[in-house]
Coordinates of all heavy atoms in Angstrom, one line a residue:
V1 N 2.6 11.8 -7.4 CA 2.8 10.6 -8.3 C 3.1 11.1 -9.7 O 2.9 12.2 -10.1 CB 1.6 9.7 -8.3 CG1 1.3 9.2 -6.9 CG2 0.4 10.3 -8.8
P2 N 3.7 10.3 -10.5 CA 3.9 10.6 -12.0 C 2.6 10.9 -12.7 O 1.5 10.4 -12.3 CB 4.5 9.2 -12.6 CG 5.1 8.6 -11.4 CD 4.2 8.9 -10.2
L3 N 2.6 11.8 -13.6 CA 1.4 12.2 -14.4 C 0.6 11.1 -14.9 O -0.6 11.1 -15.0 CB 1.8 13.1 -15.5 CG 2.2 14.6 -15.1 CD1 2.7 15.3 -16.3 CD2 1.0 15.3 -14.4
D4 N 1.3 10.0 -15.3 CA 0.6 8.9 -16.0 C 0.2 7.8 -15.0 O -0.3 6.7 -15.4 CB 1.4 8.3 -17.1 CG 2.8 7.8 -16.6 OD1 3.1 8.0 -15.5 OD2 3.5 7.2 -17.5
D5 N 0.4 8.1 -13.7 CA 0.0 7.1 -12.6 C -1.5 6.8 -12.7 O -2.3 7.8 -12.9 CB 0.4 7.6 -11.3 CG 0.6 6.4 -10.3 OD1 1.4 5.6 -10.6 OD2 0.0 6.4 -9.3
E6 N -1.9 5.6 -12.5 CA -3.3 5.2 -12.5 C -4.1 6.0 -11.5 O -3.6 6.2 -10.3 CB -3.5 3.7 -12.3 CG -4.8 3.2 -12.3 CD -4.9 1.7 -12.0 OE1 -3.9 1.1 -11.6 OE2 -6.0 1.1 -12.2
V7 N -5.3 6.5 -11.8 CA -6.1 7.1 -10.9 C -7.0 6.1 -10.1 O -7.8 5.4 -10.7 CB -7.1 8.2 -11.6 CG1 -8.0 8.8 -10.6 CG2 -6.2 9.2 -12.3
I8 N -6.8 6.1 -8.8 CA -7.5 5.2 -8.0 C -8.0 6.0 -6.8 O -7.2 6.4 -6.0 CB -6.7 3.9 -7.5 CG1 -6.1 3.2 -8.6 CG2 -7.5 3.0 -6.6 CD1 -5.1 2.1 -8.2
A9 N -9.3 6.2 -6.7 CA -9.8 6.9 -5.5 C -9.5 6.1 -4.3 O -9.5 4.9 -4.2 CB -11.3 7.1 -5.7
D10 N -9.3 6.8 -3.1 CA -8.9 6.2 -1.9 C -9.8 5.1 -1.5 O -9.4 4.0 -1.0 CB -8.8 7.2 -0.8 CG -7.6 8.0 -0.8 OD1 -6.7 7.7 -1.7 OD2 -7.4 8.9 0.1
E11 N -11.2 5.2 -1.7 CA -12.1 4.2 -1.2 C -12.0 2.9 -2.1 O -12.5 1.9 -1.7 CB -13.6 4.7 -1.3 CG -14.1 5.2 -2.7 CD -13.9 6.7 -2.9 OE1 -12.9 7.3 -2.2 OE2 -14.7 7.2 -3.6
N12 N -11.3 3.0 -3.2 CA -11.1 1.8 -4.0 C -9.7 1.1 -3.9 O -9.4 0.2 -4.6 CB -11.4 2.2 -5.5 CG -12.8 2.7 -5.8 OD1 -13.7 2.2 -5.2 ND2 -12.9 3.6 -6.6
V13 N -9.0 1.6 -3.0 CA -7.6 1.1 -2.8 C -7.7 -0.3 -2.2 O -8.4 -0.5 -1.2 CB -6.7 2.1 -2.0 CG1 -5.4 1.4 -1.5 CG2 -6.5 3.4 -2.7
E14 N -6.9 -1.2 -2.7 CA -6.9 -2.5 -2.1 C -5.8 -2.5 -1.0 O -4.7 -2.1 -1.2 CB -6.4 -3.5 -3.2 CG -6.3 -5.0 -2.6 CD -5.8 -6.0 -3.6 OE1 -5.6 -5.6 -4.9 OE2 -5.6 -7.1 -3.3
T15 N -6.3 -2.8 0.2 CA -5.4 -2.7 1.4 C -4.3 -3.8 1.4 O -4.7 -5.1 1.3 CB -6.2 -2.8 2.7 OG1 -7.1 -1.7 2.6 CG2 -5.3 -2.6 3.9
K16 N -3.1 -3.5 1.5 CA -2.0 -4.5 1.6 C -1.0 -4.1 2.7 O -0.6 -2.9 2.8 CB -1.2 -4.5 0.3 CG -2.0 -5.0 -1.0 CD -1.2 -4.9 -2.2 CE -1.9 -5.3 -3.5 NZ -1.1 -5.3 -4.7
W17 N -0.7 -5.0 3.6 CA 0.2 -4.8 4.7 C 1.3 -5.9 4.7 O 1.1 -7.0 4.4 CB -0.5 -4.8 6.0 CG -1.6 -3.8 6.2 CD1 -3.0 -3.9 6.1 CD2 -1.4 -2.4 6.5 NE1 -3.6 -2.8 6.4 CE2 -2.6 -1.8 6.6 CE3 -0.2 -1.6 6.6 CZ2 -2.8 -0.5 6.9 CZ3 -0.4 -0.3 6.9 CH2 -1.6 0.3 7.0
D18 N 2.5 -5.4 5.0 CA 3.6 -6.3 5.3 C 3.8 -6.3 6.8 O 4.4 -5.4 7.4 CB 4.8 -5.8 4.6 CG 6.1 -6.6 4.9 OD1 5.9 -7.7 5.4 OD2 7.2 -6.1 4.5
V19 N 3.3 -7.4 7.5 CA 3.3 -7.4 8.9 C 4.8 -7.8 9.4 O 5.3 -8.8 8.9 CB 2.3 -8.5 9.5 CG1 2.4 -8.5 11.0 CG2 0.9 -8.1 9.0
L20 N 5.3 -7.1 10.3 CA 6.7 -7.3 10.8 C 6.7 -8.1 12.1 O 5.9 -7.9 13.0 CB 7.4 -6.0 11.1 CG 7.4 -4.9 9.9 CD1 8.1 -3.7 10.4 CD2 8.2 -5.5 8.8
D21 N 7.6 -9.1 12.1 CA 7.8 -9.8 13.4 C 8.8 -9.0 14.2 O 9.3 -8.0 13.8 CB 8.3 -11.3 13.2 CG 9.6 -11.3 12.4 OD1 10.4 -10.3 12.4 OD2 9.9 -12.4 11.8
D22 N 9.0 -9.4 15.4 CA 9.9 -8.6 16.3 C 11.3 -8.4 15.8 O 11.9 -7.3 15.9 CB 9.9 -9.3 17.7 CG 8.6 -9.1 18.5 OD1 7.8 -8.3 18.0 OD2 8.6 -9.6 19.6
D23 N 11.8 -9.4 15.1 CA 13.2 -9.3 14.6 C 13.2 -8.3 13.5 O 14.1 -7.5 13.5 CB 13.7 -10.7 14.1 CG 13.9 -11.7 15.2 OD1 14.2 -11.3 16.3 OD2 13.9 -12.9 14.9
R24 N 12.3 -8.3 12.6 CA 12.3 -7.4 11.5 C 12.0 -6.0 12.0 O 12.7 -5.0 11.5 CB 11.3 -7.8 10.4 CG 11.7 -9.0 9.6 CD 10.6 -9.2 8.5 NE 10.7 -8.2 7.5 CZ 9.6 -7.9 6.7 NH1 8.4 -8.6 6.9 NH2 9.6 -7.0 5.9
L25 N 11.1 -5.8 12.9 CA 10.8 -4.5 13.4 C 12.0 -3.9 14.1 O 12.3 -2.7 14.0 CB 9.6 -4.6 14.4 CG 9.2 -3.4 15.1 CD1 8.8 -2.3 14.2 CD2 8.1 -3.6 16.1

């Protein structure tokens, strides 16, 4: 990542998913 990217430990990552329907998949 860029040097100035925010430091976020993995355990603090907010989980975000883009769920695909059959057409998009």
Side-chain angles (χ1 to χ4, degrees):
V1 298
L3 284 175
D4 59 357
D5 204 58
E6 181 182 9
V7 176
I8 304 176
D10 279 359
E11 59 265 28
N12 297 324
V13 168
E14 181 183 357
T15 302
K16 297 179 181 179
W17 295 106
D18 177 12
V19 180
L20 303 178
D21 60 24
D22 285 356
D23 289 336
R24 289 182 66 205
L25 175 59

